[in-house]
């Protein structure tokens, strides 16, 4: 009975940890964010004049997912999606998932 419980806990922990992203590095993310700040604001506050939404306060997993969507062309490829098309090439500058996690980790430090 005790063993069963231990196994269940182990299984649960591995499900939770595999679902979570590997930790991003906010220090590397800060360097990557230098480009982003031009549109999204240095504090991630967003800039309505450029239609660049606020990123500060957004969940890292959501940011990463959107960056993946832009990079893979799920978002920002329809010619009528003017603003999405401005963002899509920016996501291409993030070479891999680690870079996305790093930039999201930095954005998380900006608060909300
Ligand atoms: C040229 C200006 C510009 C730059 C530079 C830029 N973005 Fe964007 N970004 C936008 C615009 C405009 C949108 C809104 C797209 C839309 O309406 O679908 C956006 C959307 C996003 C979104 C989706 C937000 C949401 O709520 O769905 C994320 C995440 C994002 N940008 C992150 C970044 C990161 C990280 C960088 C730096 C690598 C970056 N952006 C650089 C203009 C820019």
């Amino acid at each position: 009975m005790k063993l069963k419980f231990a196994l269940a806990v182990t299984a649960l922990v591995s499900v939770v940890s595999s679902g979570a992203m590997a930790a991003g590095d906010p220090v590397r993310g800060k360097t990557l964010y230098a480009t982003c700040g031009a549109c999204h604001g240095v504090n991630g506050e967003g800039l309505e004049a450029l239609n660049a939404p606020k990123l500060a306060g957004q969940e890292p997993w959501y940011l990463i997912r959107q960056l993946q969507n832009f990079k893979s062309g799920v978002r920002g490829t329809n010619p009528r999606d003017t603003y999405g098309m401005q963002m899509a090439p920016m996501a291409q500058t993030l070479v891999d998932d680690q870079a996305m996690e790093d930039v999201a980790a930095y954005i998380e430090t900006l608060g909300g």
Side-chain angles (χ1 to χ4, degrees), residues 29 32-40 47 50-55 58-60 62-70 75-76 81-94 99-100 103-104 107:
L32 296 169
Y33 190 78
T35 331
C36 323
C39 292
H40 290 280
L47 195 54
L50 295 177
N51 298 286
K54 178 178 175 176
L55 301 176
Q58 191 53 273
E59 297 290 340
Y62 175 80
L63 296 174
I64 292 164
R65 178 139 180 80
Q66 298 318 307
L67 290 168
Q68 287 167 340
N69 285 345
F70 280 116
R75 276 184 80 170
D81 181 11
T82 313
Y83 307 125
M85 284 191 79
Q86 288 168 14
M87 178 54 210
M90 300 305 147
Q92 302 298 337
T93 70
L94 300 167
M100 294 179 189
V103 82
I107 294 167

